[in-house]
Amino acid sequence: MLLFNPSPGQIVDRLSILELKLDHASRQAWFAIQGEIKACQSALETKTPSVEKLAVYQVLSYQLREQNKKQWAFENDVRRAIKHLSDPPSYEELLDLCTSAKETHLGNEVRAKLVAQIDALFDTVTEGKIYQ
């Protein structure tokens, strides 16, 4: 039973994250990730943009993959900064952590916009980011 119907942008986003995970996965996890990649590819096959929008779709998909690579690095920077904090943390350590956290946040904003742009090519409306 399918619990949700992901948008094309959400599928492309998930697919690019899974492809990044493959580079870091154990052998056992690799097979599970491959199964999810196949499911995403299958779901994406049913959602093809019109011919006139295909080139834009390909560019946006590439940009989203590249942004997810940056996000992976930003999130690793945050993890590394937290792992190496002294007790009490120095000003420089806190500044590095805040800078990495800010880059992660801003990168997620870019990522959300790319997902929305892909969805717009399919005339799909998603909920977007919700903040207070």
Side-chain angles (χ1 to χ4, degrees):
M1 170 173 61
L2 185 62
L3 298 178
F4 67 99
N5 185 18
S7 71
Q10 291 168 332
I11 296 170
V12 172
D13 185 46
R14 182 67 183 150
L15 188 55
S16 68
I17 292 168
L18 291 168
E19 290 167 349
L20 283 169
K21 283 184 173 187
L22 275 181
D23 293 338
H24 303 88
S26 66
R27 182 170 168 77
Q28 184 178 10
W30 191 90
F31 288 106
I33 294 168
Q34 278 292 352
E36 193 172 346
I37 286 174
K38 287 179 184 174
C40 286
Q41 289 170 334
S42 177
L44 204 52
E45 286 174 3
T46 66
K47 303 173 191 267
T48 310
S50 62
V51 173
E52 53 274 351
K53 295 179 181 179
L54 188 58
V56 175
Y57 167 76
Q58 290 171 336
V59 168
L60 290 171
S61 296
Y62 174 80
Q63 290 174 341
L64 183 56
R65 284 183 183 91
E66 292 303 303
Q67 184 60 40
N68 278 331
K69 286 180 189 176
K70 290 178 187 176
Q71 285 304 111
W72 188 280
F74 293 152
E75 291 169 6
N76 279 340
D77 289 346
V78 170
R79 287 183 197 95
R80 212 174 356 264
I82 290 171
K83 183 178 180 179
H84 294 101
L85 283 177
S86 56
D87 189 21
S90 69
Y91 173 80
E92 291 80 16
E93 289 174 322
L94 292 175
L95 184 60
D96 286 346
L97 180 58
C98 287
T99 301
S100 295
K102 179 181 176 185
E103 292 299 322
T104 300
H105 166 72
L106 294 174
N108 274 323
E109 293 296 318
V110 170
R111 196 172 137 228
K113 287 178 185 174
L114 289 166
V115 167
Q117 288 176 309
I118 291 171
D119 287 341
L121 292 175
F122 293 84
D123 300 320
T124 302
V125 178
T126 56
E127 79 280 351
K129 295 277 186 177
I130 300 172
Y131 298 107
Q132 292 214 355

